[in-house]
Amino acid sequence: MSARGASILNEEEERGYLFLLGDAEGAVLEGRYKAAVLPLAVTKTKADYDFQAAGDTVLCTVTLPVEGTLQGGRGELLSAEQKTELESIFSASIKEEVEHTIKTALSEGVDFLGILPRAERALPQLAKACTREQLWERMAFRVVPKVQITDMGRKR
């Protein structure tokens, strides 16, 4: 096992790590919308974990509720359709970053994300039946970001 840990992550991996901790407030994401690049300032995050054992696999579903505000706008309100499109764009961006961070942890063979203790609490029988390394090798992940963009401090 490598001891790389969270200390040598690149910027995107570090942001993915912060989303996995539910501690990414203050992050600024960029999303392409039509011909513009729009920044989203993250104002609230949370990370919820659910573990399900299925055969030889342990599925970890990570749900990431994220709230943020668009920056640099000219004060116009978003239509419901625009808001939905932008939320989808930013959700895809977060999903990609978080999945890359998880892939890095899996390739390094190190749980610097703190997922194993959560899995052991959620599935104590399985945790007793195998080593931590075996449990880590059996992990599969599903990342579900749920971005909400606020207009002038309110959700729509």
Side-chain angles (χ1 to χ4, degrees):
M1 273 197 197
S2 166
R4 176 179 173 189
S7 62
I8 309 177
L9 299 177
N10 67 32
E11 182 180 339
E12 289 80 21
E13 291 169 335
E14 184 175 336
R15 193 167 38 224
Y17 175 69
L18 292 173
F19 276 112
L20 286 165
L21 292 177
D23 195 24
E25 291 86 357
V28 177
L29 304 171
E30 290 186 348
R32 291 201 165 283
Y33 181 69
K34 300 191 178 178
V37 176
L38 300 174
L40 178 78
V42 176
T43 57
K44 186 175 180 183
T45 61
K46 187 176 178 185
D48 294 316
Y49 292 82
D50 180 61
F51 296 91
Q52 299 294 321
D56 287 340
T57 303
V58 176
L59 177 62
C60 173
T61 301
V62 185
T63 305
L64 302 168
V66 176
E67 291 181 19
T69 57
L70 288 175
Q71 303 296 293
R74 295 176 296 279
E76 64 271 8
L77 294 176
L78 297 172
S79 70
E81 182 179 298
Q82 289 171 318
K83 182 178 173 293
T84 300
E85 282 182 71
L86 286 167
E87 288 171 344
S88 178
I89 289 167
F90 287 113
S91 289
S93 174
I94 291 168
K95 180 177 175 140
E96 184 178 316
E97 285 185 9
V98 170
E99 285 177 342
H100 183 74
T101 302
I102 291 169
K103 184 178 177 182
T104 298
L106 289 170
S107 70
E108 293 292 325
V110 176
D111 177 28
F112 59 81
L113 305 172
I115 292 171
L116 281 174
R118 296 172 193 266
E120 290 168 336
R121 282 191 302 273
L123 303 169
Q125 295 298 91
L126 180 63
K128 289 177 185 173
C130 61
T131 67
R132 287 184 126 215
E133 282 184 348
Q134 290 169 332
L135 183 59
W136 185 241
E137 290 168 1
R138 294 172 65 174
M139 299 291 285
F141 293 87
R142 187 168 74 108
V143 178
V144 185
K146 295 182 177 183
V147 175
Q148 282 193 309
I149 296 174
T150 57
D151 290 337
M152 297 184 180
R154 64 187 171 132
K155 296 177 211 167
R156 297 200 315 151

